[in-house]
Amino acid sequence: MSKTKSDNKVLAVRSIEPFKGLPSGLQDQIAQKAQIFSAPAGRVLAKQAETLHSLVYVIEGELQTSWKLPDNKELVCSVIRPGQALGWLTVIDNQPVPHNIIALTAVTLLLIPLDMARQIVRSVPDVAEFVMRQMAETIRRLELQSRILGMPNAFQRVYVHLFHMVGSAGELRLPKQNEIASFVNTSRETVSRAVQLLVKHGVIRKDGRIIRVQKIELLKEAAEAGADALEAA
């Protein structure tokens, strides 16, 4: 038997943080008020300083948030993937979005009215704690990006970004090169050359889109001093 759109909304609400731990009755209320929305790749869903009317969860596809710089270059803030959301900041302060929101690929979204999301944050402590963690993560990411953009050397900016993405895991699925390039304000070609230099010096090993760090201390030195640290090793 095929699922109805209502069934899909209920399944979506029950599968995403922070709603999957809520009582089923409250989940059903959220699903009843929510809408499923689809958009093709490239669709601008909101422009900087526009009002956002819903908390937006990605079911399928990817969204990108970005700022327009004075020279008209787009600076990527984040890529929102399935299971992730944007709009929590607006839920809290009811202010316009601080960035552009674009469908990076074809997307299917779950739209939850802001008033309902705000009511849940106010009444459910676990949801409020989740939102605080999300805000902290966003602040730390933007603080990192601010520090990166202050570095004059493009290779160093790439290495700092990679070092923080890898963290203690020692490996990661490498984002698309144009995503990295936009985040650190350089070209895709520069990202490619910077990564290849890491491979050449044995700092990382690539397995398709997966990179595994072989020399974490040398990657840290490259993040601190740029490509010169690789040549001196």
Side-chain angles (χ1 to χ4, degrees):
M1 182 181 296
S2 61
K3 292 184 176 64
T4 66
K5 184 171 288 190
S6 177
D7 292 331
N8 289 337
K9 289 193 295 182
V10 171
L11 289 173
V13 169
R14 291 179 177 175
S15 66
I16 56 180
E17 294 284 1
F19 302 127
K20 64 182 182 181
L22 297 178
S24 58
L26 184 51
Q27 291 173 336
D28 291 343
Q29 290 179 39
I30 297 171
Q32 187 176 15
K33 293 289 185 70
Q35 294 181 329
I36 289 182
F37 175 81
S38 297
R43 170 79 63 85
V44 177
L45 301 179
K47 293 183 179 180
Q48 192 169 328
E50 286 186 351
T51 300
L52 195 66
H53 298 288
S54 303
L55 177 66
V56 181
Y57 264 92
V58 178
I59 300 175
E60 295 177 349
E62 296 179 344
L63 296 177
Q64 176 179 284
T65 64
S66 64
W67 285 310
K68 180 85 73 173
L69 298 179
D71 61 1
N72 285 326
K73 182 180 290 186
E74 289 282 337
L75 183 65
V76 171
C77 309
S78 62
V79 175
I80 314 299
R81 296 185 167 88
Q84 298 178 328
L86 60 84
W88 283 118
L89 188 60
T90 302
V91 169
I92 299 303
D93 65 10
N94 205 32
Q95 296 297 308
V97 292
H99 42 236
N100 301 312
I101 303 172
I102 303 166
L104 198 59
T105 67
V107 292
T108 301
L109 309 172
L110 183 73
L111 308 182
I112 300 171
L114 287 182
D115 288 346
M116 168 158 274
R118 192 173 293 120
Q119 180 182 348
I120 293 170
V121 170
R122 289 171 176 169
S123 60
V124 183
D126 285 348
V127 175
E129 182 180 351
F130 173 86
V131 174
M132 286 190 289
R133 291 199 305 269
Q134 292 293 297
M135 295 298 99
E137 182 180 316
T138 298
I139 291 169
R140 290 184 184 279
R141 185 178 67 249
L142 292 177
E143 187 273 337
L144 172 63
Q145 188 176 32
S146 178
R147 285 194 291 116
I148 288 174
L149 295 176
M151 298 173 179
N153 184 276
F155 274 39
Q156 184 182 11
R157 296 199 298 271
V158 173
Y159 296 149
V160 171
H161 190 32
L162 290 177
F163 179 74
H164 281 272
M165 282 194 295
V166 169
S168 60
E171 67 177 49
L172 81 150
R173 182 175 177 81
L174 193 66
K176 296 175 183 176
Q177 290 182 351
N178 61 335
E179 289 180 27
I180 298 174
S182 295
F183 189 87
V184 304
N185 194 25
T186 190
S187 67
R188 186 186 63 79
E189 292 76 16
T190 298
V191 173
S192 178
R193 292 197 301 271
V195 171
Q196 288 305 316
L197 197 59
L198 293 177
V199 173
K200 174 184 175 182
H201 288 274
V203 179
I204 64 172
R205 178 167 57 87
K206 289 186 67 179
D207 183 9
R209 291 282 298 280
I210 304 298
I211 65 170
R212 294 180 171 85
V213 179
Q214 310 293 304
K215 302 176 182 177
I216 188 65
E217 286 302 318
L218 189 50
L219 178 58
K220 182 179 180 182
E221 290 176 19
E224 293 171 348
D228 289 345
L230 302 178
E231 301 296 343

